[in-house]
Amino acid sequence: MVASTPEHAQRVGAALALIEAEDAERLVPELLGLFALTDGKWRRDGHDVAQAVDAADTAFQARLLHGLAARYHELEPGALGRRHIVDLLNSFRMLRAATEGQPPATRAALIGLISDQDVHHDPSGLVRLADQEFADGRALPDGFVAVIRRSYLTVWDGRKRLGDLVARLDGPPVNPGEAWSDTALAEAAELGDDWLRLLAHAATATSARPSAKWDRTGRALLAALDADEVRERLLSWLRLAGRPRTALLLEPRYGPSPNATFDPYNADALRGLAWLLSLLPAHPGTARTLGALVGTALRKVAGLGPVNPKVANAAVIALGRIDDEPALAELARLAARVTFKGTLKVLSTALDARAEAMGRSREEIEELAVPGYGLTEVGRARHRLGEVTALLEVRGAKAVLNWHNASGKAVRSVPAAVRRDHADELKELKAAVKDIDRMLSAQSERLDRQFLSRRTWPYAAWRERYLDHPLVGTLARRLLWTVDGGTVGYADGELRTLADAPVTEGGRVELWHPVGHEPAEIVAWRDWLERHGITQPFKQAHREVYLLTDAERATGTYSNRFAAHFLRQHQFHSLAAIRGWHDKLRLAVDDEAPPAVRELPQWGLRAEYWITGDDGADHEYITDSGSFLRLRTDQVRFYPIDAPQNSAHCCGGEYRMWLRDGTDPVDPVPLADVPPLVLSEVLRDVDLFVGVASIGNDPTWQDGGPDGRFREYWTSYGFGELGASAETRRALLERLVPRLAIADRCTIEGRFLHVQGDRHTYKIHLGSGNILRTPNDQYLCIVPKSTPPAPQPGYLPYAGDRLLAVILSKAMMLADDTKITDPTILSQL
């Protein structure tokens, strides 16, 4: 326990004197001053104050309770003093019983104080206050009812007593305080009792899936209302889910903010609304809103993780119950984007069920589920709205909507006649643009993960689902494919060979990968793409190939190529999920965890990346929730997919195989026996993890981070030898730089892009983007924006290299360094 300071001891003495004098009025500010001095914590002699209050006269305790509650409401919402008053009340045992016999004004103040809390950890106190209000014939305020409901769902101690109280409550069908619930309560009250009953039924969705009885009640309630109006209302309410709370709750001392999450009682209602929508006739807007709800419910919150997975799962279940193409398309899109393991499992179940019902494979379902969104040809559609024509086009990764008047002249904004006479069609067109953008991103990621799927297609089916599909075709026509063993690309309206000979038919098709092709052939296809001006949606022709090295042949069963790095754990965790790896966050606790794993069922293999928490000497190495900020990396290994799991202590230590029931250990697969395509793709993933999540590419870590511990690593990574992805970037820059407006000021030498400015000469490292300047290679710290502006160097052969954009942006700025106005940068020049 922390020793007291002289000022603290003085305040403790003053508080004890006021308690002895039973001066509650003057004690209130003294106690708040004491807590402000210690940030809401008792010190050693501070506990004497708590004991003195607990031993004091009941009447004095009642006056003190009234004074603290009254002072709470005098403070501004969000004031730290409010938090201190709650902490004080929680620390006085006798004050918990002092609610009995209080005058109505004191009870009202205390109820108002409790109503600002997410949960209240004194169930008996809640019951006593409620019973006293009931005895006096007063209804409980809606905010107090909400706290009782949330506490019942959260606090296990006294749960039965709270359950009995909840059963007696006569509050609103859902808790107020959230944007969607406030709107729903107001509209339902205006529309009548049938709507209130529907909302109340939604709040009874407490199980993982709707029961037959729940559905029957829901259908009966829906039958009394107009289906189109119900859909419109419910969709509008769900679109408000996740908006900022309308009534902020008191921030807790520890743990995630309740203002960043869903009210747990209302989460059941959101789940019920999603299920009710699935009982209505299908509608494109329903699928769109449910898909968006999944994303909202899986948004990450610091210290918590996803906002509310059970709401996301409910929306997925609702989509699976809707038998129409938009719902299936939304399931397919989500399957390509969602990374949270629990929701992925629900998605997989829903898609498998649809595949079985349609008599097709899961892969086929995901391909057939992609809608055309009204596109009448690949990436293009015209819509006539009166005398105006709307042209919807896919350009790269985005959909663009352009307008032409009656004479065919392009106009910048939506014509007034369209807004006036075709509002519904305009709304649907704008929604289609957003849907296309989301689906394009999802399909690009799905295709990027196809290299390890061993998927092949009959030529006719492939053309229908890929090359000639109105939406997927915009991606497929920018990729290379293998038709009956020969490589082809799409240009000038035809599939063509490297010599531009048309290919009009074929047998089997698969996605092309550079592994197994001669370097000269790969370079020739890169030239072919450039000649035809094709920008690939992701690296394919320029994809890095990771061949077995002599060092890996020597180690035999493991690769140290990406060992001894320090990665930001949460960034690595997110990247791993996106690339299809399973990873468990390392907590600073006495527990074990498996390595990061990617399962490869088509190859019968399991790839492992061995990692462990970086346990530094103090709190700067862990988050408030107890997870490590950084990881240390080790080996990459491969095992048979059904081999027993390896694990290691979260804080470090040797990995060992977890053997049960006399199971024999299984040796790792020799790297030489791993198919080259599998080895290359797995190592490429790991290179991505290191390249993005390494602390070595953080320009602000020149000092080596906490205690300078990482200075040597930061320097070696930030300016060291180039990895495979950086070598690819270097090769591309050698072609791009001569086309830049600053070409005469740039040269590429070794690991650096050299830029001649007017003030200095600069060297930008091609692996990290870190900068050295003359004289003496002094470090120049320039922190890029989260989305750096993309310079226009002309043609780019592939999309998605953020660091390339960062390097080009820095080069453009430094070449004209006399025009730099940022004071942080100028101070270093």
Side-chain angles (χ1 to χ4, degrees), residues 258-437:
N259 298 307
T261 64
F262 291 169
D263 183 306
Y265 185 83
N266 286 356
D268 286 337
L270 287 171
R271 181 159 55 182
L273 294 179
W275 293 345
L276 287 171
L277 280 169
S278 69
L279 300 177
L280 296 170
H283 187 275
T286 300
R288 187 178 298 133
T289 301
L290 289 173
L293 181 62
V294 173
T296 300
L298 293 181
R299 188 184 67 245
K300 296 292 182 65
V301 173
L304 176 68
V307 170
N308 199 296
K310 76 177 186 181
V311 173
N313 296 349
V316 170
I317 289 169
L319 285 167
R321 283 160 39 115
I322 300 172
D323 188 15
D324 75 336
E325 289 186 2
L328 180 58
E330 201 61 33
L331 287 172
R333 183 186 73 82
L334 291 169
R337 300 304 304 275
V338 167
T339 59
F340 183 69
K341 191 173 182 180
T343 304
L344 266 177
K345 184 177 179 180
V346 180
L347 276 165
S348 182
T349 300
L351 282 169
D352 286 344
R354 294 296 292 272
E356 184 177 355
M358 298 174 68
R360 293 181 179 272
S361 69
R362 166 73 177 274
E363 291 80 6
E364 286 182 297
I365 287 295
E366 292 185 5
E367 293 167 356
L368 294 170
V370 184
Y373 295 110
L375 299 171
T376 53
E377 52 186 300
V378 175
R380 190 179 176 91
R382 291 181 180 274
H383 298 270
R384 188 78 176 177
L385 305 178
E387 295 185 349
V388 176
T389 300
L391 178 60
L392 178 60
E393 289 184 300
V394 175
R395 298 179 184 172
K398 293 288 183 182
V400 179
L401 192 60
N402 291 314
W403 299 92
H404 299 265
N405 61 21
S407 63
K409 182 180 179 181
V411 292
R412 287 189 174 184
S413 58
V414 181
V418 173
R419 296 181 185 274
R420 182 184 65 245
D421 302 330
H422 303 277
D424 290 341
E425 294 97 320
L426 176 61
K427 180 180 178 181
E428 199 57 36
L429 275 175
K430 289 183 175 180
V433 168
K434 293 181 180 179
D435 289 344
I436 289 171
D437 287 349

Side-chain angles (χ1 to χ4, degrees), residues 300 305-306 339-341 567-586 596 611 628-629 631 689 693:
K300 296 292 182 65
T339 59
F340 183 69
K341 191 173 182 180
L567 311 184
R568 293 176 287 267
Q569 173 170 212
H570 292 82
Q571 192 171 20
F572 165 78
H573 184 71
S574 297
L575 282 170
I578 290 170
R579 294 300 301 170
W581 291 67
H582 302 302
D583 172 55
K584 181 179 179 180
L585 282 173
R586 266 61 178 171
I611 53 177
F628 288 107
L629 284 170
L631 301 171
F689 302 154

Side-chain angles (χ1 to χ4, degrees), residues 534-611:
I534 297 171
T535 297
Q536 297 198 292
F538 48 81
K539 286 184 183 179
Q540 187 192 27
H542 291 77
R543 203 172 189 85
E544 299 83 9
V545 174
Y546 298 77
L547 302 176
L548 203 60
T549 64
D550 290 340
E552 287 161 346
R553 290 188 182 92
T555 57
T557 57
Y558 60 90
S559 169
N560 275 328
R561 199 184 304 199
F562 299 105
H565 288 281
F566 294 92
L567 311 184
R568 293 176 287 267
Q569 173 170 212
H570 292 82
Q571 192 171 20
F572 165 78
H573 184 71
S574 297
L575 282 170
I578 290 170
R579 294 300 301 170
W581 291 67
H582 302 302
D583 172 55
K584 181 179 179 180
L585 282 173
R586 266 61 178 171
L587 303 177
V589 295
D590 186 15
D591 191 15
E592 294 205 348
V597 169
R598 182 169 182 181
E599 295 181 344
L600 305 163
Q602 295 89 345
W603 304 86
L605 293 173
R606 180 181 80 219
E608 296 185 353
Y609 190 23
W610 288 10
I611 53 177

Side-chain angles (χ1 to χ4, degrees), residues 137-199:
R138 279 189 291 272
L140 301 182
D142 290 347
F144 190 58
V145 170
V147 174
I148 294 171
R149 288 169 169 170
R150 291 194 294 265
S151 299
Y152 169 70
L153 294 172
T154 308
V155 181
W156 288 100
D157 183 28
R159 183 174 174 83
K160 184 180 186 306
R161 294 196 69 190
L162 280 179
D164 295 339
L165 175 58
V166 168
R168 292 186 285 138
L169 294 177
D170 185 22
V174 294
N175 288 344
E178 294 184 311
W180 84 265
S181 63
D182 286 354
T183 301
L185 287 170
E187 292 183 1
E190 182 181 345
L191 292 166
D193 290 345
D194 288 343
W195 283 86
L196 288 170
R197 282 191 286 270
L198 186 70
L199 192 54

Side-chain angles (χ1 to χ4, degrees), residues 736-747:
L736 289 180
V737 166
R739 307 171 191 168
L740 298 177
I742 59 170
D744 60 332
R745 289 176 171 258
C746 296
T747 56

